[in-house]
Amino acid sequence: KNQVEQSPQSLIILEGKNCTLQCNYTVSPFSNLRWYKQDTGRGPVSLTIMTFSENTKSNGRYTATLDADTKQSSLHITASQLSDSASYICVVSARNDYKLSFGAGTTVTVRA
Amino acid sequence: GAVVSQHPSRVICKSGTSVKIECRSLDFQATTMFWYRQFPKQSLMLMATSNEGSKATYEQGVEKDKFLINHASLTLSTLTVTSAHPEDSSFYICSAPGLKILAGGVFEQFFGPGTRLTVL
């Protein structure tokens, strides 16, 4: 069964600090991994998409890494802002499968 | 970028009534749309795949007679929760793949803003 595990479940950081979220997956054969940001009561918004040939991708203050060998990904948030408070979801797709496997998400709270 | 809208954003209904939720791709056509349900502090769970011009494909454990899906056009899919009960209260989200093929043959997936259903 394809699974996506995220850690930590939640974290609290001070504004301006950095943080790193982790994602481990067992989806196979691997196609791509996406990180989404979901604000409370809203739909997910794409941050990054990486295929097996990519090991890092940035979107502003968000930087995602991918190690397809160990099946791990991370999302690094630099110089956090209050607006970064949200749930961050790791989503993995298998090759030749339109379905997405979702992680449970990491809830990030940024405090002033 | 591509935009997916949902209507209504929030609905409160009495137990036993039916509720229709619309999902529209605003500036692109989508032959396939996906419907998800999300309970508090949980991940999105795929309910069904909506196919334009044909029957929807439901995930295991999802009652097709309770969650009616109609994909009447290339820009509109509807989810009707029939005879809603309090346990159907949830956040319903739709998504549609974009038309642009990204590197590696990957399609972007655009999500709607979600519909909060509360059944009293």
Side-chain angles (χ1 to χ4, degrees), chain A residues 34 36 100, chain B residues 2-6 23-26 28-36 50 71 74-77 93-99 107-112:
Chain A
R34 311 160 189 246
Y36 284 88
L100 305 177
Chain B
V3 177
V4 174
S5 70
Q6 283 185 239
C23 176
R24 293 182 185 273
S25 55
L26 295 185
F28 67 104
Q29 295 181 334
T31 57
T32 302
M33 291 183 176
F34 303 97
W35 286 97
Y36 300 87
S50 174
H71 198 140
L74 289 171
T75 59
L76 173 64
S77 174
I93 304 174
C94 69
S95 75
L99 298 177
F107 285 90
E108 175 68 272
Q109 194 75 223
F110 298 99
F111 288 85

Side-chain angles (χ1 to χ4, degrees), chain A residues 33-55:
Chain A
L33 184 147
R34 311 160 189 246
W35 283 95
Y36 284 88
K37 178 185 178 186
Q38 185 179 23
D39 293 313
T40 301
R42 306 291 294 174
V45 174
S46 179
L47 295 176
T48 62
I49 300 176
M50 290 182 291
T51 62
F52 68 91
S53 62
E54 300 173 287
N55 54 28

Side-chain angles (χ1 to χ4, degrees), chain A residues 57-100:
Chain A
K57 183 165 283 188
S58 292
N59 179 357
R61 294 179 296 101
Y62 301 102
T63 299
T65 66
L66 172 65
D67 186 333
D69 292 330
T70 61
K71 298 187 177 182
Q72 296 179 324
S73 176
S74 67
L75 180 69
H76 187 76
I77 304 176
T78 304
S80 61
Q81 300 177 359
L82 297 178
S83 60
D84 292 331
S85 295
S87 178
Y88 292 84
I89 306 172
C90 177
V91 183
V92 184
S93 296
R95 212 177 308 147
N96 300 322
D97 190 349
Y98 61 84
K99 296 182 182 179
L100 305 177

Side-chain angles (χ1 to χ4, degrees), chain B residues 89-102:
Chain B
S89 298
S90 187
F91 193 53
Y92 292 86
I93 304 174
C94 69
S95 75
L99 298 177
K100 182 179 177 181
I101 302 177
L102 306 176

Side-chain angles (χ1 to χ4, degrees), chain B residues 51-79:
Chain B
N51 304 298
E52 189 271 335
S54 64
K55 292 183 179 181
T57 305
Y58 290 81
E59 294 302 299
Q60 190 174 10
V62 178
E63 300 175 57
K64 62 179 181 180
D65 294 329
K66 181 171 182 61
F67 299 98
L68 301 178
I69 291 174
N70 187 332
H71 198 140
S73 76
L74 289 171
T75 59
L76 173 64
S77 174
T78 60
L79 169 67

